[in-house]
Amino acid sequence: MIFTIFLPVLGGIICLILRERRRLCAGVALFATIINGSFLPFNLFEEFGMNLGNWGELGIRLTMDDLAIPFMLSTFLVMLAITLNSLRKNYDGFFYSLILIMYGTLNSIFLSRDLFNVFVTVELVSIISFILISYEKKGRQAWASLKYLLLSSLGLNFFLLGIGLVYMETGSFAMEGLNHVSSIASVLIFGGLAVKSGLFLFSMWLPDAHSNAPVEVSPILSGLVVKIDVYLSIRFVQYESFGWLKDEFVYIGIFSAIAGIILAVNSKDAKRLLAYSTISQVGFMMVTCDKASSWHGFSHAVFKTLLFLVVGNVSTRLGTKEYRDWSGRITRIEYLFLLVGSLAISGFPMTSGCVTKEVIMHDACCPWLKVLMMLSSVGTAMIFSKFIFLKPSKETGSLPIGTLAAYSILSVAIIVHGIVGFEIYMFESLLMIAAGVGLYFLYRKFMRPLPVFFERIDNSLAIYLIMFLFSIGFVIFST
Amino acid sequence: MTGNIIFYISVAGMLVGTIGMTLSRNIIKKILSLGIVETSINTLYTGISSRKSIIPPIVNGDFSIAYADPVPQAVIITGIVISFALLCLSLVFAIIIYNKYHTMDIGTIESNFEREKE
Amino acid sequence: MKAMKILGVIAAAVIFLFVVLQARIDLVFPEGLEEIIERTNIPNAVTAIYLETRLYDTIFEVIVFSITALGVTTLFSSLPRSAEGSQQVFGSVTVYSGGLAALSVTLFLYVVLEGHISPGGGFVGGVVLATGIVTYGLTSNFAKANSHYDRFKIKIMENASLLIIFSLVSFIVFFPETHARLLASGEFGEVLSGGLIPVLNILIGIKVYAGAWKMSSEFINRRGTL
């Protein structure tokens, strides 16, 4: 099990050293990813738990359990797709080394049961993503990186303060200690990580970073880096001191789901639209915050990667990010994969999106919540009608072999997951899609990009602090 | 006792840094404020170590003395490295932005971006 | 705009007020020092934790450092450099900074080699050495300071030490019992004790020095561009 951490990191270090030899590094990256993936079926279901170096309480504990399975699977699929897609491009060895080290580090986050180790690994992932976002050295990318860096570092310092309080109260950094810590420590831990979560108002750096990043990087950010906080929140809710978090997520999550949709519907830029849709989907996941949401995290990572890759490749080929200009110019094969991704995210039966989304909606606690969740589902269908009703050109078109393989692996994952998990009651999602399509045709004349008030750096910082205060207030009034 | 004083001072330092990050309009000042926050949190961890005693934990076989707690000061070395790395990276981004737009004022930069879009 | 900022400041103030009011500082004082010292068999408990009980954190820290050094170099690669001959030198500083650089090499060796006995360690040593050389480069002769990077093949040393650190860490993580036997065989308080810990200290020292020098020289190469 521990090889899933050490093997990619070793590959990354080799790429770091041999970074001038591009092809070799790409080969190492592909090889390490595939080896890791082929061990995954044996690893995922074994019982695993070890204290590194036999140090017991003093050391770092790694454990595998059910919650980590979807995240580790999605990490493998996303990394494989990205490596395949990047093969024909001109990335140097450093890019592959960053990707591989990120792969190992993400696996480490999903296994670790030590708060300080989580801090270090999360910071490493953040540093890698800062470098990756501005990999093409455009001014806009550097600005997005800097904004992300300032906000995320501030948030992680709050997290560090929180685990300092945990250490003072329990005498160790182990996660078991979270069963009885004071509420202020728990709220600092939640609030510090929330800046990376992608929830609306907590992390308004997200649209800029996700939409300006290079083609291969946006899927990593949206599929994996955002999922770190989803995973850790689901993990923390299991502990007693975080009982309040589940109640708070009902409000924050559904608010974020709706707000993300309102922003995305009005957006013209395809990548920006996907970034806003990430905000909405993360909110949707967080509403229940249990095992079902971790599986929605898996399916979201897969179809969002597919969408980001297709949209990124198409927009670099055509030279425009505005989806309306693609009409008639996008080839049939690209349209096919865009259609698969769009249908999956809107919850069409027999796709992964439908399965996980319906399970989450089924678990909703009260009627008003269910209505709002249906509304957000309708909204998602409305957003992605924009892609579904694009007009493909007459020619079939051809794709490079790596890109085709990446798209196909992701599509197969979507469809297999959709068929395996299908239940008959899930046909109700067809109704929601129909409603979304209808609303899209009614509303399409009035779509105007909304102002980016909250995305300015000062405002996003201030609103983050205010939402932090809101969380503290929530804890105080709920206990 | 020492630990308590360091704890309160560092929390105050974090507050100062956060306020600086919110109010300043210059990128470099924002980065420096972030540096203040990070230094404060690193100091706070040494404060956690020195709650019981301030004798450094270099033991010569005598366990009867109350030593300072070694764990927080050992882990925060990692934190210091990370804050150094973040500082370097943020300055690099600041230099890239300055070379493209020849200003450090965030209002100007952001209005530039919004105009570019239209 | 302005109201937003003021609200943010108020929120920050209230957050930290709650932290100060609700933090329970004197609650638990962890014990475990004795066990750590007895099993690692070295006097410096901080090094014992940094390189033995929580070694797993340290490998990520080393990776953070390498990635940042390379990332800074890569991101800077397209930016213009400042002119070579623009360095201003003051007479007396040149003398002192040369001596300081020599002193920092000695201090580096002492801090790194005795890191498991007295206060010190790889990270501190690397920073000391980098500070000495950067001071020399800034005040006396940057081209001369920069030349040692190629002359002593620092790049190869850096890469090799990264790979060796990773393999040693993997060894210690996978075979803790072997390393525990190695630790127990040393004499308590001697330089040649502590198993692989002094080796790790030296390698981390080289690694940190190389990364810090690389980053600083990139920044010095672009002085005045901000």
Side-chain angles (χ1 to χ4, degrees), chain A residues 391-408:
Chain A
K391 202 156 70 53
S393 68
K394 290 281 185 304
E395 56 186 314
T396 323
S398 64
L399 293 171
I401 186 85
T403 312
L404 187 65
Y407 291 175
S408 323

Side-chain angles (χ1 to χ4, degrees), chain A residues 2 54 108 114 117 137 169, chain C residues 28 54 56-57 74 177:
Chain A
I2 197 166
N54 293 341
S108 167
D114 186 277
N117 184 250
K137 300 176 197 104
E169 285 166 21
Chain C
V28 178
R54 300 184 69 92
Y56 188 61
D57 280 349
T74 318
E177 293 311 316

Side-chain angles (χ1 to χ4, degrees), chain A residues 4-52:
Chain A
T4 53
I5 301 166
F6 276 76
L7 187 79
V9 172
L10 177 66
I13 288 174
I14 290 172
C15 286
L16 202 68
I17 292 169
L18 301 173
R19 58 184 172 277
E20 269 113 39
R21 314 182 69 171
R22 207 188 74 74
R23 284 177 172 278
L24 186 73
C25 290
V28 168
L30 199 58
F31 182 71
T33 314
I34 289 174
I35 290 280
N36 219 338
S38 53
F39 281 118
L40 216 52
F42 310 108
N43 280 336
L44 282 183
F45 303 102
E46 75 175 327
E47 287 286 314
F48 171 81
M50 73 181 287
N51 288 310
L52 289 171

Side-chain angles (χ1 to χ4, degrees), chain A residues 180-201:
Chain A
H180 22 255
V181 292
S182 60
S183 51
I184 189 74
S186 63
V187 78
L188 278 170
I189 286 176
F190 157 71
L193 281 171
V195 75
K196 300 186 70 67
S197 66
L199 287 168
F200 186 64
L201 296 187

Side-chain angles (χ1 to χ4, degrees), chain A residues 2 5 16 19 52-55 108 114 116-117 134 137 158 167-169 182 458-459 462 469 476, chain C residues 4-5 14 16 18 24 28 30 39 52-54 56-57 63 70 74-75 78 155 162 166 173-174 177:
Chain A
I2 197 166
I5 301 166
L16 202 68
R19 58 184 172 277
L52 289 171
N54 293 341
W55 277 99
S108 167
D114 186 277
F116 199 84
N117 184 250
S134 50
K137 300 176 197 104
F158 282 120
Y167 184 82
M168 287 198 278
E169 285 166 21
S182 60
D458 281 343
N459 296 335
L469 188 62
I476 288 169
Chain C
M4 208 64 207
K5 278 186 179 177
V14 178
F16 286 110
F18 272 110
R24 289 180 287 175
V28 178
R39 240 187 85 180
E52 181 57 39
T53 60
R54 300 184 69 92
Y56 188 61
D57 280 349
I63 292 174
L70 251 177
T74 318
L75 291 175
S78 65
K155 198 173 164 189
L162 177 61
F166 186 74
V173 166
F174 288 126
E177 293 311 316

Side-chain angles (χ1 to χ4, degrees), chain A residues 4-5 9 71-72 75-76 78-79 99-112 121-122 124-125 220 223-228 231, chain C residues 60:
Chain A
T4 53
I5 301 166
V9 172
F71 293 98
M72 293 186 78
T75 312
F76 165 65
V78 172
M79 285 301 177
I99 281 189
L100 276 177
I101 291 176
M102 188 181 231
Y103 186 8
T105 314
L106 281 167
N107 278 341
S108 167
I109 294 175
F110 299 143
L111 293 179
S112 175
T121 38
V122 169
L124 177 51
V125 170
I220 299 184
L224 305 176
V225 178
V226 160
K227 296 299 173 343
I228 295 171
Y231 165 77
Chain C
F60 286 112

Side-chain angles (χ1 to χ4, degrees), chain C residues 54-224:
Chain C
R54 300 184 69 92
L55 184 62
Y56 188 61
D57 280 349
T58 308
I59 183 65
F60 286 112
E61 179 207 310
V62 172
I63 292 174
V64 165
F65 209 83
S66 333
I67 282 187
T68 313
L70 251 177
V72 168
T73 321
T74 318
L75 291 175
F76 262 149
S77 61
S78 65
L79 292 184
R81 287 170 177 243
S82 45
E84 279 290 318
S86 65
Q87 192 172 22
Q88 283 185 353
V89 180
F90 306 97
S92 55
V93 182
T94 321
V95 180
Y96 284 119
S97 63
L100 212 60
L103 207 63
S104 72
V105 176
T106 325
L107 200 58
F108 165 75
L109 287 175
Y110 174 74
V111 165
V112 162
L113 288 176
E114 297 247 315
H116 53 300
I117 302 168
S118 58
F123 180 70
V124 187
V127 170
V128 164
L129 186 54
T131 313
I133 310 266
V134 168
T135 313
Y136 178 75
L138 272 179
T139 52
S140 319
N141 191 346
F142 179 68
K144 196 174 168 190
N146 204 10
S147 69
H148 87 284
Y149 190 81
D150 294 326
R151 197 148 45 113
F152 294 117
K153 307 246 181 315
I154 303 279
K155 198 173 164 189
I156 296 171
M157 267 159 68
E158 183 188 6
N159 288 336
S161 58
L162 177 61
L163 201 60
I164 298 170
I165 290 171
F166 186 74
S167 13
L168 288 182
V169 169
S170 322
F171 172 75
I172 296 173
V173 166
F174 288 126
F175 306 103
E177 293 311 316
T178 323
H179 190 233
R181 244 177 285 132
L182 214 63
L183 285 171
S185 66
E187 190 89 6
F188 183 81
E190 290 292 314
V191 178
L192 288 176
S193 66
L196 294 172
I197 288 175
V199 183
L200 277 175
N201 262 337
I202 294 169
L203 291 171
I204 291 176
I206 293 171
K207 174 77 220 149
V208 168
Y209 159 67
W213 166 255
K214 189 74 199 153
M215 278 192 253
S216 322
S217 70
E218 288 291 335
F219 277 108
I220 295 170
N221 270 332
R222 285 161 185 84
R223 62 190 179 275

